[in-house]
Amino acid sequence: MAAAKTRSSSFSGNLSSAASSLGPGLKCGPNGTVLLSSGIPDLDKILGGGFPLGSLVMVMEDAEAPHHMLLLRNFMSQGLVHSQPLLYASPARDPRGFLGTLPSPAASKDDKSRGPEPDQEKGLRIAWQYKKYFGENQLNFDGQRDGKHKYSNEFNLRNPLERHFINGQRVDCFSIQDSPDLSILQDRCTTFLSQLPRNDGSISCAGRIAIQSFCAPQCVYSNMEWEMLSFIRSLKNMVQSSNSVAIITFPPSLLSPSFCKRWQHMADTLLSVKAIQDDDKELAQLLTGYQDMIGFLNVHKVARINTQVPVILEATTFSIKLQKRRYLILECLNQAPVDGSSGTSYGTSGSCSSSSKTGNLDF
Amino acid sequence: MAKSICIALREGALEGELAPALTIKDSIASPFGLQVFDHVLSQLFSSILAGKSPSQGLILVSFSRSPSFYLELLKNKGINVASSDKRIHILDCYNDPLGWKDQIVEISSTVTVFREVKHMDKLFNSIIELGRGLVGGGKIRFSIAIDSVDEMLRRASVSSVARLLSNLRSHEQISSIFWLLHSDLHKARVTAVLEYLSSMVASLEPSHQLANGQRGDLENFALIKHNSKKGKFHVRFKKRNGRVHVMSEEVHMEQSGINFTPLTSEGAINQGLVPKVQFNLQLSEKERIDKANVVLPFEHQGDNGKPLQIYDGRRSLVDSKHERAVAVENVQTKEESESESESDMQRGEIIYYRDSDDEMPDSDEDPDDDLDI
C-alpha cells in the first residue's frame, strides 16, 4: 500500500480555523485544500487523502472490463452516505437503475482484517514481501477520528445501499444518450454547481458529479470531438470555483489519439483501469495473488492544487481485488518468488514486460 | 470453443443484465466471416428449436444475402423452416433497402421486407415488433442475428448504429444478439466501437501472415492458397467477473461447411523457448559472421596470426633492436592498414602503456573461472 510522500513546506497555511467548520465527509488536506473520500480507502491512501475539492478526476476505461463502474459506485455511495448532493449522467436509458446497484457501507463489526493469517508461527519468519506488513500500523491511526461520521467507508458490494440514502437527497440522474448536443448536460452541471459556491467561509457540504462513459458511441454527440473537449474544459472551470469533485469516465479507444491526449491533460487526477486476462500463465508466474485479481488500476496523475510540488508515488500500478467478494481493495503488485533453477534473474522485473498484453507493469 | 460462443448465445442474458452480444470479425486475409456466421446461426436456431434456450424465437436481419439463401441454408442443415412453428422470421433488408421498387414479390410468410434502412429507429421498432409477433409480449425472449453491420454503417452514422445495438442489448425481451463485421471496410474507430458494444469478439485471422507487398512471390502464393482454406479463430470473452477469457482454434473450410479444431502448437514452439524480453537475443546470420570477424584487442590475436603491434610508449630493450626492422614492417602494415581502413573504419588504434616489461601479454583465460562459489 503505497502512501504518497507529501513534503511539508516552510509555508503552512493557517489550518486550525478551517478544520472545525468542515461538513461531514470532508477533511483538510495539504496545501490548504479540502479533501473528500473516493469511497475506496486504499485509493484515498494512494492519492494522499482523497480527491481535493475543485478537482476533475478522469478515469480511462478498458472496453473489455467494467471496473470503472466499481470506482463510480464507491464514489457515489460515499457521497450519499455523507449526504452530499450528487449529479449522475450516463448513456444508459435509465440511469436511476444504476443507483440500485450502489453498495452499502460495511458494518464496522465485520471489518475485514487484512493482516497475515491468524495462525502465524511464533518463530522467525522470512517476510518475502515485507512492504505488505508496514501498512498495518497505519490502519490503526486512521481509525475513527470523530465518532459520528467516518471520513471514508468500506463498501460492501454485495449489499445494496439503503433506500433512504437515495430518496431523501439531492440526487439528480439523467441520460445523455439522446441529447443532440452537450447543452443540456452543461445546463444541468451549471445549476448543480451553482448550489455549491466556494466562499472563504466554512464548507457545509460538498457535491459530487459523476459522468459515466462520456464519449460512449451511442450518444449522438459522440463524434463532436471539439464540443466534448470544450465541455470538459468548462466543467473543469466550474468545478474549480465550487465545492465539488467531478469524475468523468471515458473509453480512450473510441477517441482519436490526439483528443485522447487532450482529455488526459484536462484531468487533475488521472486514473485508468485495465482488464486482466483469464488463465494467463505468464502473468500468474510473474505476480503473486493473480487468481484473486480482477483488474489493474494505474494512477497516471495526482492532483496538484495550490502547489508546484509534484506527488511522486512509489508505485503507479495496483491490482484491483475483491476481498471476500465484497470489498474493493487495491494492492501493490508483488512479484512472485523467482524460481532459482530456471536461471532468470531480477532483470526481468520492473520495466521489462514479459508479455505485450500486460503493458507496462510498474512495480 | 466455437461451441462456447454458441453456448453463451444460447444461454442468453440473466435478469437485469445486458444481452450477450457477439461480433464476428473477418478481413480479406481470412474471409470466412460469412461461413462462421452461418454456422453460429444454424447452431443457435437448432438449440432454440430443441428448447435448450430461454429464447423462443430468432429474428434474422439480412442485409448482404437474400432471405431465400437462409431458408435454403437451414433446410440443408436439416431444419425445416415451414414446420418449425414460426420460430424464425427474416427481416429482408436485401431486396429493397431504400424503397426503390414499387412492388415486392413476397417470398414466404417468414420474410418481411424492410425498406427504410437509413432510419435506425424504424429498424429498431420493426425488429421489436417482429420479435413480439413471434414470441408474444411480456417476458418471453428472442434472439437476433444481423447479417452484416457493414451495410448498416453504409447508410447510417456510427452513433445511430451503436444506439440501435445498445438499445437492443438492453431490451428486456432480447436474449442474445450477434452480428458480422468485415473489419477492413471501416476505420479502426468503427471496429473499436463495435467491440466496445459486444461481450464476445470472434476474429478470424490467417494462419500465416503474408509479407507485405509481395503478392506475386511463389512462396506467398502457397501461403495465400493455404489461407484460403484455413485460418485461426480467436475469441475474446468479457466475463462477468471482469476478466477476459481468450481462446483460439483453427478453422478449416470444407465442402460440407466449416470445421473448428483445437490449435496445433506449431507456431507456439518457436516463441516458447526464448524468454520474452524487450531486446533481441538472437543473432542473424550476418551478425554471426561479423562477430567471428571482430578483432579483439589481445596482443596475440593479430591478423593472420601475426602478433599485433601495440604502441606502448616505452621502447623496451627487445623492441629497440628490432626497431628499424619493425619500422619498415610498421610502414608496411600501416600501408596495409590504411588501405584496409578505408573499407573498415572500425579499426581503431590501441594505445597501451605497459606497466612493466615483465608483464605477460593478455591471455584468453577468464580470471573469473578461478572463483569457487
Side-chain angles (χ1 to χ4, degrees), chain B residues 253-308:
Chain B
M253 285 302 307
E254 257 125 60
Q255 283 286 21
S256 54
I258 195 168
N259 268 344
F260 295 95
T261 53
L263 199 59
T264 54
S265 54
E266 37 164 88
I269 292 174
N270 300 334
Q271 300 148 19
L273 296 176
V274 178
K276 289 188 191 145
V277 289
Q278 277 179 342
F279 43 89
N280 182 17
L281 285 179
Q282 310 289 48
L283 291 177
S284 71
E285 201 48 50
K286 180 178 177 295
E287 286 168 350
R288 239 184 287 261
I289 295 170
D290 288 342
K291 182 183 171 185
N293 282 345
V294 165
V295 175
L296 298 171
F298 292 127
E299 283 181 291
H300 61 91
Q301 276 182 4
D303 327 285
N304 311 319
K306 232 183 350 177
L308 202 60

Side-chain angles (χ1 to χ4, degrees), chain A residues 215-273:
Chain A
C215 61
Q218 54 260 46
C219 300
V220 184
Y221 60 79
S222 58
N223 55 349
M224 296 163 32
E225 295 187 306
W226 283 110
E227 277 79 3
M228 290 197 283
L229 184 64
S230 322
F231 169 78
I232 296 176
R233 195 169 39 216
S234 70
L235 179 67
K236 182 176 165 147
N237 289 335
M238 289 196 289
V239 162
Q240 253 175 3
S241 53
S242 71
N243 291 326
S244 59
V245 172
I247 186 167
I248 301 183
T249 74
F250 67 98
S253 54
L254 302 185
L255 288 174
S256 62
S258 60
F259 274 94
C260 189
K261 268 292 164 204
R262 288 185 171 107
W263 285 34
Q264 290 174 41
H265 278 301
M266 284 276 111
D268 289 316
T269 302
L270 182 65
L271 308 171
S272 72
V273 285

Side-chain angles (χ1 to χ4, degrees), chain B residues 156-196:
Chain B
S157 67
V158 180
S159 69
S160 49
V161 173
R163 209 160 340 127
L164 171 85
L165 295 175
S166 73
N167 288 339
L168 284 175
R169 272 193 87 190
S170 50
H171 197 273
E172 57 203 2
Q173 274 194 282
I174 305 237
S175 162
S176 55
I177 177 171
F178 66 101
W179 57 78
L180 172 64
L181 170 74
H182 299 299
S183 60
D184 34 17
L185 293 179
H186 307 286
K187 291 191 197 165
R189 184 185 175 245
V190 174
T191 315
V193 164
L194 288 166
E195 287 181 6
Y196 176 82

Side-chain angles (χ1 to χ4, degrees), chain B residues 145-343:
Chain B
I146 300 181
D147 186 304
S148 160
V149 170
D150 310 301
E151 302 286 331
M152 285 165 68
L153 289 166
R154 219 172 117 187
R155 321 243 192 233
S157 67
V158 180
S159 69
S160 49
V161 173
R163 209 160 340 127
L164 171 85
L165 295 175
S166 73
N167 288 339
L168 284 175
R169 272 193 87 190
S170 50
H171 197 273
E172 57 203 2
Q173 274 194 282
I174 305 237
S175 162
S176 55
I177 177 171
F178 66 101
W179 57 78
L180 172 64
L181 170 74
H182 299 299
S183 60
D184 34 17
L185 293 179
H186 307 286
K187 291 191 197 165
R189 184 185 175 245
V190 174
T191 315
V193 164
L194 288 166
E195 287 181 6
Y196 176 82
L197 291 171
S198 45
S199 62
M200 296 178 275
V201 179
S203 48
L204 283 157
E205 267 154 45
S207 28
H208 300 281
Q209 293 289 348
L210 296 173
N212 288 335
Q214 292 174 11
R215 307 213 63 209
D217 214 289
L218 265 182
E219 212 180 80
N220 280 333
F221 215 53
L223 284 179
I224 295 172
K225 213 172 146 193
H226 188 264
N227 285 345
S228 64
K229 291 274 164 56
K230 289 195 193 167
K232 286 210 199 114
F233 189 59
H234 300 289
V235 181
R236 294 183 78 91
F237 275 91
K238 296 180 200 175
K239 288 168 72 169
R240 288 189 181 103
N241 63 3
R243 282 186 162 204
V244 176
H245 198 59
V246 176
M247 295 195 282
S248 294
E249 260 182 0
E250 270 192 8
V251 66
H252 301 266
M253 285 302 307
E254 257 125 60
Q255 283 286 21
S256 54
I258 195 168
N259 268 344
F260 295 95
T261 53
L263 199 59
T264 54
S265 54
E266 37 164 88
I269 292 174
N270 300 334
Q271 300 148 19
L273 296 176
V274 178
K276 289 188 191 145
V277 289
Q278 277 179 342
F279 43 89
N280 182 17
L281 285 179
Q282 310 289 48
L283 291 177
S284 71
E285 201 48 50
K286 180 178 177 295
E287 286 168 350
R288 239 184 287 261
I289 295 170
D290 288 342
K291 182 183 171 185
N293 282 345
V294 165
V295 175
L296 298 171
F298 292 127
E299 283 181 291
H300 61 91
Q301 276 182 4
D303 327 285
N304 311 319
K306 232 183 350 177
L308 202 60
Q309 281 291 348
I310 299 179
Y311 174 70
D312 68 353
R314 294 181 297 125
R315 294 164 189 197
S316 59
L317 291 168
V318 179
D319 286 341
S320 59
K321 283 181 202 168
H322 301 286
E323 213 184 278
R324 282 204 202 130
V326 164
V328 172
E329 241 183 64
N330 270 348
V331 169
Q332 280 174 347
T333 51
K334 244 194 177 172
E335 277 173 9
E336 280 173 11
S337 63
E338 262 172 20
S339 60
E340 276 178 335
S341 67
E342 280 165 15
S343 55

Side-chain angles (χ1 to χ4, degrees), chain A residues 159-332:
Chain A
N159 292 347
L161 192 62
E162 285 136 33
R163 282 276 126 193
H164 70 88
F165 282 117
I166 303 173
N167 292 334
Q169 295 270 5
R170 293 181 267 170
V171 178
D172 193 7
C173 298
F174 65 97
S175 166
I176 46 179
Q177 195 187 112
D178 293 322
S179 337
D181 57 21
L182 289 162
S183 53
I184 304 174
L185 182 58
Q186 180 105 359
D187 292 336
R188 296 274 210 151
C189 291
T190 318
T191 359
F192 181 80
L193 291 171
S194 57
Q195 303 162 4
L196 304 158
R198 186 179 292 200
N199 311 314
D200 280 332
S202 62
I203 306 172
S204 55
C205 78
R208 296 178 187 232
I209 297 182
I211 302 179
Q212 182 215 315
S213 301
F214 185 47
C215 61
Q218 54 260 46
C219 300
V220 184
Y221 60 79
S222 58
N223 55 349
M224 296 163 32
E225 295 187 306
W226 283 110
E227 277 79 3
M228 290 197 283
L229 184 64
S230 322
F231 169 78
I232 296 176
R233 195 169 39 216
S234 70
L235 179 67
K236 182 176 165 147
N237 289 335
M238 289 196 289
V239 162
Q240 253 175 3
S241 53
S242 71
N243 291 326
S244 59
V245 172
I247 186 167
I248 301 183
T249 74
F250 67 98
S253 54
L254 302 185
L255 288 174
S256 62
S258 60
F259 274 94
C260 189
K261 268 292 164 204
R262 288 185 171 107
W263 285 34
Q264 290 174 41
H265 278 301
M266 284 276 111
D268 289 316
T269 302
L270 182 65
L271 308 171
S272 72
V273 285
K274 261 200 122 31
I276 276 193
Q277 214 180 73
D278 221 8
D279 292 334
D280 187 345
K281 297 198 175 45
E282 290 171 4
L283 211 52
Q285 275 181 346
L286 190 63
L287 303 170
T288 47
Y290 162 77
Q291 283 77 12
D292 306 318
M293 293 184 197
I294 58 172
F296 291 126
L297 176 82
N298 268 298
V299 179
H300 298 277
K301 231 205 266 189
V302 179
R304 246 190 337 182
I305 301 197
N306 299 341
T307 174
Q308 295 278 20
V309 177
V311 175
I312 300 176
L313 300 176
E314 278 175 11
T316 57
T317 307
F318 300 92
S319 62
I320 304 174
K321 291 187 183 178
L322 284 181
Q323 200 184 36
K324 293 185 192 165
R325 294 198 208 161
R326 290 165 198 220
Y327 308 111
L328 188 68
I329 59 172
L330 300 174
E331 275 187 4
C332 259

Side-chain angles (χ1 to χ4, degrees), chain A residues 38-60:
Chain A
S38 60
I40 306 166
D42 285 337
L43 186 60
D44 288 342
K45 256 189 237 135
I46 294 165
L47 296 175
F51 295 140
L53 285 188
S55 68
L56 176 66
V57 180
M58 296 189 78
V59 179
M60 299 200 284

Side-chain angles (χ1 to χ4, degrees), chain B residues 124-143:
Chain B
F124 176 77
N125 292 333
S126 295
I127 294 176
I128 298 295
E129 220 178 274
L130 280 180
R132 286 211 176 115
L134 207 58
V135 303
K139 288 271 181 177
I140 310 176
R141 293 176 182 248
F142 58 95
S143 302

